[in-house]
Amino acid sequence: MKSKIIVLVVLFVSFLLNAQTVKISASETDASIVINGQNVGSGNYKLKMESKECYKVKVAKPGFLNYEATVCGKKAGPEAPKSIYFEMKKDDAEEASVKTDQANVDFEIEVNKDLNMLDAWRLTTQIVTDYFDAIEVSDKETSYLRTAWSVQSFQQNTIRTRLIIKLAKSDPLTFKVKLNSEYSGASGTSVKADEQFRDWDRILRKYKNVISDFSTRLAKK
């Protein structure tokens, strides 16, 4: 009996000596630490690894870039470091944008009655070209205008933006103005990859005054 206890103690001590741990920490103390899809804590965590297993580590916080790493036990891959530290940086796409309720929504702008259709359309085009370099479609007869997508790539995101103007009513003359703002969630996404983009509830700062400019310069006074 005594010999069995000694053996168990030896095995337990051997397990402790061979147990592999990795200390995971982040510069943001409230950042979520996720291991293999499971949230295990915030700021820092001590990961105990099985020798034959690999672990996917993710560190995330709203407004910051996401960070990922894979660590493996001794028998599963390259030897893991004793600690991993993530120096987190602000999300450059969010810093270059503002959260708004104006994205991807139709706004009706009733045109000032002192402007006839021709003058209103000229002014509309002028406002559009103040913000966008390329107009993809412009039909004065049907009062429809659509810019080409303007795309900007960030470290972990790609944002594309365009403006659509169309006639809502002829009397009183009213235009519908829509600012499309979409994101892909990855850097360097092709502007033509429609299936990879989704509506974004933010707009890049350089477009934040588009809707208000239409209201100020075109609308009924």
Side-chain angles (χ1 to χ4, degrees):
M1 181 68 179
K2 187 175 180 179
S3 61
K4 289 184 178 179
I5 293 175
I6 293 174
V7 171
L8 290 173
V9 170
V10 171
L11 290 173
F12 180 69
V13 171
S14 176
F15 170 78
L16 291 178
L17 291 174
N18 290 301
Q20 195 174 2
T21 61
V22 176
K23 182 182 178 182
I24 300 163
S25 58
S27 57
E28 296 298 309
T29 56
D30 56 346
S32 297
I33 297 177
V34 180
I35 308 294
N36 289 346
Q38 182 178 356
N39 194 325
V40 296
S42 299
N44 61 80
Y45 179 74
K46 195 170 186 179
L47 173 62
K48 295 179 181 179
M49 300 188 298
E50 297 288 341
S51 62
K52 296 182 180 180
E53 297 293 332
C54 287
Y55 301 82
K56 186 173 182 180
V57 180
K58 181 177 180 180
V59 177
K61 178 182 176 179
F64 286 76
L65 298 176
N66 294 323
Y67 294 84
E68 294 184 357
T70 299
V71 292
C72 298
K74 296 177 180 178
K75 296 181 180 180
E79 184 176 357
K82 292 183 179 180
S83 64
I84 301 176
Y85 176 74
F86 296 95
E87 181 66 41
M88 301 183 71
K89 295 181 180 180
K90 289 285 188 70
D91 185 336
D92 51 345
E94 288 209 6
E95 288 196 310
S97 64
V98 293
K99 191 174 178 64
T100 179
D101 59 359
Q102 295 184 351
N104 307 302
V105 176
D106 282 319
F107 286 89
E108 289 198 356
I109 309 293
E110 185 176 332
V111 178
N112 182 352
K113 290 183 179 179
D114 292 338
L115 296 173
N116 59 37
M117 173 64 87
L118 181 58
D119 290 338
W121 189 249
R122 285 174 177 168
L123 181 54
T124 297
T125 304
Q126 181 182 331
I127 296 171
V128 171
T129 54
D130 283 345
Y131 292 92
F132 292 86
D133 294 329
I135 294 177
E136 191 172 70
V137 179
S138 181
D139 189 341
K140 184 173 63 177
E141 299 302 319
T142 60
S143 299
Y144 180 84
L145 182 150
R146 185 179 70 239
T147 69
W149 285 109
S150 175
V151 64
Q152 187 167 343
S153 188
F154 297 91
Q155 290 186 63
Q156 294 183 357
N157 216 341
T158 304
I159 309 301
R160 68 178 189 177
T161 312
R162 73 177 177 187
L163 195 62
I164 297 176
I165 315 291
K166 54 188 175 183
L167 182 66
K169 290 185 290 186
S170 297
D171 189 15
L173 181 58
T174 305
F175 290 129
K176 280 187 178 180
V177 180
K178 186 175 184 179
L179 184 65
N180 289 129
S181 181
E182 299 181 354
Y183 75 104
S184 72
S187 180
T189 306
S190 169
V191 69
K192 297 180 180 180
D194 295 337
E195 71 284 354
Q196 296 185 39
F197 285 91
R198 301 174 294 281
D199 285 353
W200 202 32
D201 62 353
R202 306 179 68 87
I203 57 175
L204 295 178
R205 293 183 185 277
K206 59 185 175 181
Y207 302 118
K208 69 178 183 178
N209 293 324
V210 170
I211 303 301
S212 61
D213 266 8
F214 277 101
S215 296
T216 301
R217 297 165 63 183
L218 189 65
K220 178 181 178 181
K221 298 179 180 179

